[in-house]
Amino acid sequence: MELDIQCEEMSPSRWAELLSTMKSCKTIRLDDCNLSSNNCEDLSSIISTNPSLAELKLNNNELGDEGIEYLCKGLLMPSCSLQKLWLQNCNLTSASCETLRSVLSAQPSLTELHVGDNKLGTAGVKVLCQGMMNPNCKLQKLQLEYCELTADIVEALNAALQSKPTLKDLTLSNNTLGDTAVKQLCQGLVEASCNLELLHLENCGITSNSCREISAVLSSKSSLIDLSVGDNKIGDSGLALLCQGLMHPNCRIQKLWLWDCDLTSASCKDLSRLISTKESLTEISLIDNNLRDSGMEMLCQALKDPRSKLQELWVRECGLTTACCKAVGSALSVNKHLKVLHMGENKLGDAGVELMCEGLLHPNCNIQSLWLGNCDVTSACCATLATVMATKQCLTELDLSYNPLEDEGIRKICEALRNPSCNVQQLILYDILWSAEVDDELRALEESKPEVKIIS
């Protein structure tokens, strides 16, 4: 049984009603429910008396250190078998870390701890690392995003990694680590016995200076399948170093996020080689990099390679124009694997989208999710988009937000949605002006096709 409640104010009567339900739940999610330390005493009792409870999510509640102290009393009971604990943005400080350390040391059932968006600080996380080093700790996922960590944390983290072969996911994004610390961390990861699968280091002050060490992790840890270094100024030179590790035969990367990394079209030669030859790679994000049309054309050539198995390509806000759309359409007509394409925030225009639609309509194309928000699309190409919607049954999600489609364009899209062959389940139309009459048509359409969700 699962209890999933978000964004609800808890009156005393409602809380009492939910408590009786929680006694038999396997998963409890109470995000954004204005909970406080007072609720944690009750939750502690649930944790200790409900042996089937495996997952507890309490994100975005003002629990504070006092609340965690109550929770941990339940977590430390022998009857507790909780596996996943989410405490993101719960107003915790380093004081909570001593209590959580005791849980990590004593509770082998706990495999996931999510404590991001809390001011734990380097001192607090060092205490958590002590708990991780206990032989009883079997932690597999540790999320420490936005925890006000500095470079001084790396020695303690490396010691914990060395002693914890079970750890698979490590998120350190949005902490001011810097190159020196990231180099030390990577050296520790190469030597550690853990088979890390996910490493997220977004916005950690990384430059090209530490990319050689990240590359060494990629080439030595075949377990690493998910790497995110987005929002770091690694530049083209850093990407070239990363690609040395990514192209290594040992590397089995599946998901690679490189958004806002100061990349230009100069990086696209290396990226194209990666996309065309690394068959394990299924998802790449290049959002907010100045790739331009010449860079996109190189990526499209890679997508046409039979060895490419890429399923998701994110190139939003990459300085693209109509000029690259013929290449995109050509790639779509050849590539059978691509399922998700994000091209929003690029000046493609009607002519560009028309060219893309030629590829989208090809029998080889299996696109499921297409994002064209703020692409200078008008009602002029909505008839072609409507044809794609009505004929490509694989297409289930379409974003046309921030485009001046007006009533004429929206009506054409609505007509396509009414078509029995149309399988679009989510249509995203943020910030588009239409008349009251068209609004009534949209609401009527949602009522007649409840499986369709129109988000505006």
Side-chain angles (χ1 to χ4, degrees), residues 39-332:
N39 303 101
C40 289
E41 202 164 358
D42 292 329
L43 287 169
S44 181
S45 174
I46 296 294
I47 291 167
S48 62
T49 57
N50 178 359
S52 64
L53 184 62
E55 187 169 348
L56 180 61
K57 290 189 175 184
L58 300 171
N59 300 327
N60 307 319
N61 290 294
E62 292 284 320
L63 307 183
D65 297 326
E66 186 184 1
I68 297 310
E69 203 167 325
Y70 283 130
L71 274 186
C72 287
K73 286 176 183 174
L75 290 165
L76 287 166
M77 294 295 285
S79 54
C80 170
S81 55
L82 195 74
Q83 296 168 21
K84 302 175 183 180
L85 180 60
W86 298 65
L87 298 168
Q88 290 177 206
N89 190 27
C90 286
N91 196 26
L92 312 185
T93 72
S94 59
S96 287
C97 293
E98 186 61 51
T99 319
L100 289 167
R101 180 196 64 79
S102 60
V103 173
L104 288 170
S105 302
Q107 195 50 272
S109 69
L110 192 66
T111 58
E112 290 189 24
L113 180 61
H114 301 257
V115 286
D117 288 290
N118 288 294
K119 296 179 180 181
L120 306 182
T122 296
V125 174
K126 280 182 178 179
V127 173
L128 285 184
C129 288
Q130 292 170 14
M132 284 176 66
M133 292 173 72
N134 189 294
N136 284 331
C137 177
K138 306 297 181 201
L139 205 64
Q140 294 177 18
K141 294 186 180 182
L142 179 62
Q143 197 268 347
L144 296 168
E145 190 173 16
Y146 284 113
C147 282
E148 298 190 356
L149 306 182
T150 63
D152 294 340
I153 192 59
V154 173
E155 190 178 344
L157 269 176
N158 277 346
L161 289 166
Q162 198 68 254
S163 68
K164 202 49 55 193
T166 56
L167 194 72
K168 296 189 184 306
D169 289 19
L170 179 61
T171 299
L172 296 169
S173 298
N174 301 297
N175 289 292
T176 51
L177 302 181
D179 281 325
T180 303
V182 170
K183 285 181 181 182
Q184 291 172 346
L185 176 68
C186 290
Q187 286 160 5
L189 285 169
V190 168
E191 295 164 11
S193 57
C194 68
N195 293 312
L196 206 67
E197 294 177 3
L198 177 148
L199 178 61
H200 284 190
L201 297 168
E202 295 180 353
N203 187 27
C204 284
I206 298 170
T207 71
S208 59
N209 289 336
S210 54
C211 286
R212 192 179 301 278
E213 284 74 15
I214 299 172
S215 187
V217 176
L218 286 162
S219 60
S220 65
K221 291 286 180 183
S222 58
S223 57
L224 187 61
I225 57 174
D226 184 335
L227 175 68
S228 181
V229 289
D231 201 13
N232 288 294
K233 307 304 175 191
I234 65 170
D236 296 327
S237 59
L239 189 276
L241 290 168
L242 281 185
C243 281
Q244 291 176 13
L246 288 162
M247 292 301 298
H248 194 280
N250 284 342
C251 179
R252 297 286 183 269
I253 197 73
Q254 294 177 15
K255 182 177 177 180
L256 180 63
W257 280 50
L258 298 165
W259 59 277
D260 195 13
C261 281
D262 273 6
L263 307 182
T264 71
S265 58
S267 284
C268 290
K269 188 175 180 181
D270 284 330
L271 288 168
S272 297
R273 195 160 62 97
L274 181 68
I275 289 169
S276 63
T277 58
K278 184 58 70 171
E279 293 189 31
S280 61
L281 184 66
T282 58
E283 182 177 335
I284 188 166
S285 171
L286 300 167
I287 289 171
D288 200 13
N289 286 295
N290 194 28
L291 306 183
R292 304 236 170 230
D293 294 325
S294 57
M296 188 62 190
E297 285 170 358
M298 282 189 263
L299 298 184
C300 288
Q301 197 59 39
L303 286 170
K304 293 167 82 169
D305 193 300
R307 293 168 296 178
S308 174
K309 299 295 186 288
L310 199 71
Q311 295 177 22
E312 297 193 24
L313 176 61
W314 301 52
V315 283
R316 191 177 78 228
E317 206 171 349
C318 287
L320 311 182
T321 72
T322 310
C324 73
C325 291
K326 187 174 182 180
V328 175
S330 178
L332 289 169

Side-chain angles (χ1 to χ4, degrees), residues 3 5 8 10 13-22 30:
L3 178 69
I5 294 173
E8 183 181 322
M10 290 294 160
S13 59
R14 175 65 168 149
W15 182 246
E17 175 194 331
L18 290 176
L19 282 173
S20 60
T21 307
M22 289 183 215
L30 295 167

